[in-house]
PDB file of all heavy atoms in Angstrom:
ATOM      1  N   VAL K 353     -55.004  47.938 -27.122  1.00 98.00           N
ATOM      2  CA  VAL K 353     -53.854  47.428 -26.359  1.00 98.00           C
ATOM      3  C   VAL K 353     -53.351  46.129 -26.983  1.00 98.00           C
ATOM      4  O   VAL K 353     -52.138  45.924 -27.159  1.00 98.00           O
ATOM      5  CB  VAL K 353     -54.248  47.216 -24.876  1.00 98.00           C
ATOM      6  CG1 VAL K 353     -53.129  46.520 -24.117  1.00 98.00           C
ATOM      7  CG2 VAL K 353     -54.593  48.550 -24.229  1.00 98.00           C
ATOM      8  N   ARG K 354     -54.293  45.241 -27.342  1.00 98.00           N
ATOM      9  CA  ARG K 354     -53.897  43.944 -27.916  1.00 98.00           C
ATOM     10  C   ARG K 354     -53.139  44.137 -29.228  1.00 98.00           C
ATOM     11  O   ARG K 354     -52.091  43.523 -29.443  1.00 98.00           O
ATOM     12  CB  ARG K 354     -55.139  43.082 -28.149  1.00 98.00           C
ATOM     13  CG  ARG K 354     -54.794  41.665 -28.613  1.00 98.00           C
ATOM     14  CD  ARG K 354     -56.016  40.792 -28.664  1.00 98.00           C
ATOM     15  NE  ARG K 354     -57.052  41.424 -29.458  1.00 98.00           N
ATOM     16  CZ  ARG K 354     -58.340  41.105 -29.408  1.00 98.00           C
ATOM     17  NH1 ARG K 354     -58.760  40.178 -28.574  1.00 98.00           N
ATOM     18  NH2 ARG K 354     -59.217  41.698 -30.171  1.00 98.00           N
ATOM     19  N   GLU K 355     -53.659  45.031 -30.068  1.00 98.00           N
ATOM     20  CA  GLU K 355     -53.019  45.297 -31.360  1.00 98.00           C
ATOM     21  C   GLU K 355     -51.579  45.791 -31.163  1.00 98.00           C
ATOM     22  O   GLU K 355     -50.647  45.331 -31.817  1.00 98.00           O
ATOM     23  CB  GLU K 355     -53.860  46.352 -32.087  1.00 98.00           C
ATOM     24  CG  GLU K 355     -53.381  46.757 -33.458  1.00 98.00           C
ATOM     25  CD  GLU K 355     -54.215  47.947 -33.993  1.00 98.00           C
ATOM     26  OE1 GLU K 355     -55.441  47.988 -33.752  1.00 98.00           O
ATOM     27  OE2 GLU K 355     -53.614  48.827 -34.629  1.00 98.00           O
ATOM     28  N   LEU K 356     -51.404  46.712 -30.217  1.00 98.00           N
ATOM     29  CA  LEU K 356     -50.073  47.285 -30.000  1.00 98.00           C
ATOM     30  C   LEU K 356     -49.116  46.262 -29.385  1.00 98.00           C
ATOM     31  O   LEU K 356     -47.941  46.190 -29.762  1.00 98.00           O
ATOM     32  CB  LEU K 356     -50.173  48.533 -29.119  1.00 98.00           C
ATOM     33  CG  LEU K 356     -50.883  49.738 -29.773  1.00 98.00           C
ATOM     34  CD1 LEU K 356     -51.100  50.848 -28.753  1.00 98.00           C
ATOM     35  CD2 LEU K 356     -50.067  50.269 -30.963  1.00 98.00           C
ATOM     36  N   LEU K 357     -49.623  45.463 -28.434  1.00 98.00           N
ATOM     37  CA  LEU K 357     -48.749  44.452 -27.811  1.00 98.00           C
ATOM     38  C   LEU K 357     -48.305  43.411 -28.840  1.00 98.00           C
ATOM     39  O   LEU K 357     -47.136  43.010 -28.875  1.00 98.00           O
ATOM     40  CB  LEU K 357     -49.469  43.767 -26.651  1.00 98.00           C
ATOM     41  CG  LEU K 357     -49.614  44.593 -25.372  1.00 98.00           C
ATOM     42  CD1 LEU K 357     -50.421  43.815 -24.336  1.00 98.00           C
ATOM     43  CD2 LEU K 357     -48.249  44.977 -24.793  1.00 98.00           C
ATOM     44  N   ASP K 358     -49.250  42.956 -29.688  1.00 98.00           N
ATOM     45  CA  ASP K 358     -48.901  41.976 -30.730  1.00 98.00           C
ATOM     46  C   ASP K 358     -47.823  42.535 -31.654  1.00 98.00           C
ATOM     47  O   ASP K 358     -46.825  41.878 -31.946  1.00 98.00           O
ATOM     48  CB  ASP K 358     -50.137  41.626 -31.584  1.00 98.00           C
ATOM     49  CG  ASP K 358     -51.074  40.695 -30.847  1.00 98.00           C
ATOM     50  OD1 ASP K 358     -50.672  40.176 -29.781  1.00 98.00           O
ATOM     51  OD2 ASP K 358     -52.214  40.492 -31.328  1.00 98.00           O
ATOM     52  N   ALA K 359     -48.058  43.762 -32.111  1.00 98.00           N
ATOM     53  CA  ALA K 359     -47.126  44.364 -33.069  1.00 98.00           C
ATOM     54  C   ALA K 359     -45.758  44.596 -32.431  1.00 98.00           C
ATOM     55  O   ALA K 359     -44.714  44.354 -33.051  1.00 98.00           O
ATOM     56  CB  ALA K 359     -47.706  45.682 -33.579  1.00 98.00           C
ATOM     57  N   ALA K 360     -45.754  45.046 -31.178  1.00 98.00           N
ATOM     58  CA  ALA K 360     -44.479  45.381 -30.519  1.00 98.00           C
ATOM     59  C   ALA K 360     -43.644  44.134 -30.239  1.00 98.00           C
ATOM     60  O   ALA K 360     -42.418  44.136 -30.429  1.00 98.00           O
ATOM     61  CB  ALA K 360     -44.758  46.131 -29.211  1.00 98.00           C
ATOM     62  N   THR K 361     -44.294  43.048 -29.815  1.00 98.00           N
ATOM     63  CA  THR K 361     -43.525  41.838 -29.501  1.00 98.00           C
ATOM     64  C   THR K 361     -43.062  41.130 -30.782  1.00 98.00           C
ATOM     65  O   THR K 361     -42.089  40.375 -30.755  1.00 98.00           O
ATOM     66  CB  THR K 361     -44.326  40.865 -28.606  1.00 98.00           C
ATOM     67  OG1 THR K 361     -45.636  40.711 -29.159  1.00 98.00           O
ATOM     68  CG2 THR K 361     -44.442  41.387 -27.186  1.00 98.00           C
ATOM     69  N   GLU K 362     -43.748  41.400 -31.887  1.00 97.00           N
ATOM     70  CA  GLU K 362     -43.286  40.904 -33.180  1.00 97.00           C
ATOM     71  C   GLU K 362     -41.985  41.618 -33.573  1.00 97.00           C
ATOM     72  O   GLU K 362     -41.017  41.000 -34.009  1.00 97.00           O
ATOM     73  CB  GLU K 362     -44.359  41.257 -34.217  1.00 97.00           C
ATOM     74  CG  GLU K 362     -44.635  40.232 -35.273  1.00 97.00           C
ATOM     75  CD  GLU K 362     -45.860  40.670 -36.072  1.00 97.00           C
ATOM     76  OE1 GLU K 362     -45.838  41.764 -36.682  1.00 97.00           O
ATOM     77  OE2 GLU K 362     -46.850  39.917 -36.058  1.00 97.00           O
ATOM     78  N   LEU K 363     -41.995  42.929 -33.375  1.00 97.00           N
ATOM     79  CA  LEU K 363     -40.831  43.744 -33.766  1.00 97.00           C
ATOM     80  C   LEU K 363     -39.647  43.500 -32.826  1.00 97.00           C
ATOM     81  O   LEU K 363     -38.503  43.359 -33.267  1.00 97.00           O
ATOM     82  CB  LEU K 363     -41.256  45.222 -33.724  1.00 97.00           C
ATOM     83  CG  LEU K 363     -40.478  46.250 -34.531  1.00 97.00           C
ATOM     84  CD1 LEU K 363     -40.412  45.868 -35.995  1.00 97.00           C
ATOM     85  CD2 LEU K 363     -41.152  47.627 -34.386  1.00 97.00           C
ATOM     86  N   LEU K 364     -39.923  43.446 -31.521  1.00 98.00           N
ATOM     87  CA  LEU K 364     -38.886  43.251 -30.502  1.00 98.00           C
ATOM     88  C   LEU K 364     -39.370  42.169 -29.530  1.00 98.00           C
ATOM     89  O   LEU K 364     -40.011  42.482 -28.520  1.00 98.00           O
ATOM     90  CB  LEU K 364     -38.677  44.528 -29.694  1.00 98.00           C
ATOM     91  CG  LEU K 364     -37.646  45.561 -30.091  1.00 98.00           C
ATOM     92  CD1 LEU K 364     -37.524  46.605 -28.991  1.00 98.00           C
ATOM     93  CD2 LEU K 364     -36.273  44.957 -30.373  1.00 98.00           C
ATOM     94  N   PRO K 365     -39.116  40.881 -29.812  1.00 97.00           N
ATOM     95  CA  PRO K 365     -39.671  39.798 -28.986  1.00 97.00           C
ATOM     96  C   PRO K 365     -39.390  39.957 -27.489  1.00 97.00           C
ATOM     97  O   PRO K 365     -40.199  39.576 -26.645  1.00 97.00           O
ATOM     98  CB  PRO K 365     -38.988  38.554 -29.560  1.00 97.00           C
ATOM     99  CG  PRO K 365     -38.688  38.925 -30.984  1.00 97.00           C
ATOM    100  CD  PRO K 365     -38.380  40.389 -30.980  1.00 97.00           C
ATOM    101  N   GLU K 366     -38.274  40.567 -27.153  1.00 97.00           N
ATOM    102  CA  GLU K 366     -37.895  40.750 -25.743  1.00 97.00           C
ATOM    103  C   GLU K 366     -38.941  41.545 -24.954  1.00 97.00           C
ATOM    104  O   GLU K 366     -39.004  41.448 -23.715  1.00 97.00           O
ATOM    105  CB  GLU K 366     -36.547  41.491 -25.728  1.00 97.00           C
ATOM    106  CG  GLU K 366     -35.945  41.710 -24.379  1.00 97.00           C
ATOM    107  CD  GLU K 366     -34.718  42.625 -24.460  1.00 97.00           C
ATOM    108  OE1 GLU K 366     -34.235  42.924 -25.572  1.00 97.00           O
ATOM    109  OE2 GLU K 366     -34.257  43.026 -23.380  1.00 97.00           O
TER     110      GLU K 366
END
Side-chain angles (χ1 to χ4, degrees):
V353 173
R354 186 173 53 199
E355 181 187 322
L356 292 172
L357 286 177
D358 284 350
T361 48
E362 219 172 60
L363 202 55
L364 268 189
E366 183 188 350

